[in-house]
């Protein structure tokens, strides 16, 4: 569907349901929220903590702020099962160490994974792997964690994986570029020309990749599984996401932030809904926003979009297999 900037403003102004209207009892459930030390991840974790999970793991790159968040959530909700574990999602070694720790201490199965950690870079920076940092964090790291932890998700009863995307995926310039040979490599080439590849548009593209990857992973789930995989958009929310924005570009964003942006608590309701609401039971490969299933961009649902999703799947698996020799076996054993 087309989703104009005006549609975005209109949807921002519509109230979202309170979490109490779709909350569930998470007794016995194991939950992970990435990037939960601040912002939307923190507010989501706080809501989930009030549903009494057996274990709630805040996966944060900064242990100091993560531990403080865990203590604050415990104080606010009375939930004593909140812990913070270190995870830098842009670093494959950190992803592997996180999942190894989960294997030892996680409790054997994973009921909910909210892949929320994300960033918005406006200049060229590279992660430890040499990949451009936004792609390394928002796409490659997110894809890696999802695959590496998949065996534990598949052991749970009605598990859910939600990948945080955005409405900006509707506004990617020249999205057909996503359906061209070596698109990830081209995104990693600073000399590549064209709007799709500009670093200033990189965040939008990374969020399109989140939508395409969630659909691809969902389409490869084994027959009969109850695991669902969806992409979810919180809408525009006032957070620290634009911390790297330059002063000129910051002005219009500040205006939007003060007029139509949701608070992170309100935006987090969309994430909580995505991972617990019973009305989403069995829904997979969907795009969720405003606490409901919605249609993603015309590109995503087009033939080129389907082809881009397949291409992204193959290219991503090839890259992740270079970082992590367990990826091919995981894919062969657990996915179709
Ligand atoms: N705010 C919006 O309007 C909006 C709209 C649509 C989608 N989203 C998405 O919502 C998610 C949360 O964003 P937010 O608005 O809450 O922003 P935020 O306040 O900046 O929070 C981002 C979180 O991601 C973490 N993170 C970044 N890079 C990481 C890495 N390499 N490893 C582990 N954690 C990392 C951050 O950790 P540090 O504190 O250590 O940096 C922080 O906890 C993002 O995926 C974003 O793209 C936001």
């Amino acid at each position: 569907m087309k989703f104009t900037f005006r549609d975005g403003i209109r949807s921002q102004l519509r109230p979202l349901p309170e979490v109490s209207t779709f909350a569930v009892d998470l007794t016995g459930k194991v939950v992970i929220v990435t990037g939960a030390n601040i912002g939307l991840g923190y507010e989501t974790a706080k809501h989930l903590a009030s549903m009494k999970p057996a274990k709630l793991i805040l996966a944060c790159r900064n242990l100091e702020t993560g531990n403080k968040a865990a203590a604050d959530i415990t104080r606010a909700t009375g939930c004593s099962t909140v812990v913070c574990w270190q995870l830098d999602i842009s670093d494959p070694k950190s992803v592997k160490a996180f999942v190894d720790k989960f294997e030892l201490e996680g409790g054997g199965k994973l009921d909910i994974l909210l892949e929320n950690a994300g960033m918005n870079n406006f200049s060229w920076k590279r992660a430890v792997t040499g990949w451009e940092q936004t792609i390394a964090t928002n796409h490659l790291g997110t894809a890696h964690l999802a695959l590496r932890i998949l065996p534990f998700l598949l052991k749970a009863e009605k598990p859910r994986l939600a990948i945080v995307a955005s409405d900006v995926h509707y506004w990617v310039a020249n999205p057909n570029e996503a359906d061209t040979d070596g698109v990830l490599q081209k995104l990693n080439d600073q000399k590549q020309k064209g709007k799709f590849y500009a670093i200033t548009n990189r965040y939008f593209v990374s969020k399109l990749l989140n939508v395409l990857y969630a659909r691809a992973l969902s389409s490869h789930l084994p027959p009969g599984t109850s695991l669902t995989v969806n992409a979810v958009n919180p809408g525009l929310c006032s957070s620290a996401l634009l911390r790297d924005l330059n002063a000129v570009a910051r002005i219009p964003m500040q205006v939007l932030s003060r007029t139509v942006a949701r608070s992170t608590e309100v935006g987090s309701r969309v994430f909580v809904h995505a991972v617990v609401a019973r009305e989403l039971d069995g829904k997979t490969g969907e795009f969720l926003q405003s606490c409901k299933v919605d249609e993603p961009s015309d590109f995503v649902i087009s033939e080129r979009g389907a082809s881009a999703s397949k291409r992204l799947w193959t290219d991503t698996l090839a890259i992740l297999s270079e970082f992590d020799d367990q990826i091919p076996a995981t894919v062969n054993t657990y996915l179709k």
Side-chain angles (χ1 to χ4, degrees), residues 115 138-150 161-163 165 184 205-221 229-231 285-286 300 305 308-317 320 327 331 335:
E115 293 215 88
N138 295 6
H139 172 57
L140 291 174
T142 299
H144 188 193
L145 178 63
L147 286 179
R148 183 85 192 204
I149 213 152
L150 186 76
L161 164 57
I163 294 179
L184 290 173
V205 170
S206 74
K207 292 289 143 183
L208 172 63
L209 300 185
N210 288 148
V211 177
L212 295 174
Y213 182 78
R215 288 167 78 88
L217 177 53
S218 175
S219 73
H220 285 276
L221 291 176
V229 180
N230 293 302
E286 302 286 3
V300 169
S309 180
K310 285 190 188 133
R311 202 184 274 279
L312 181 70
W313 178 251
T314 311
D315 292 352
T316 301
L317 292 190
L320 295 182
I327 292 298
V331 171
L335 294 171

Side-chain angles (χ1 to χ4, degrees), residues 35-41 59-62 65 87-90 115-119 137-138 164-167 203 207 233-241 243 264 271:
N37 53 310
I38 51 169
L40 287 156
C60 305
R61 63 178 162 177
N62 180 329
T65 55
L87 172 69
D88 178 343
I89 205 151
S90 68
E115 293 215 88
N116 160 77
M119 44 99 58
T137 306
N138 295 6
V164 173
S166 171
D167 40 15
Y203 176 74
K207 292 289 143 183
N233 164 41
L236 177 69
C237 303
S238 296
S239 73
L241 189 66
R243 63 191 98 167
T264 47
F271 294 171

Side-chain angles (χ1 to χ4, degrees), residues 7 15 25 29 40 43 48 60 68 76 84 92 95 125 136 158 163 167 172 184 188 208 246 287 289 291 294 299:
D7 295 328
D25 181 3
K29 307 284 183 194
L40 287 156
E43 294 296 339
L48 294 172
C60 305
K68 183 180 176 307
C84 171
V95 173
K125 290 184 194 125
K158 294 196 183 167
I163 294 179
D167 40 15
V172 168
L184 290 173
N188 205 32
L208 172 63
N246 69 47
F287 180 68
Q289 58 181 351
C291 297
D294 216 339
F299 170 72

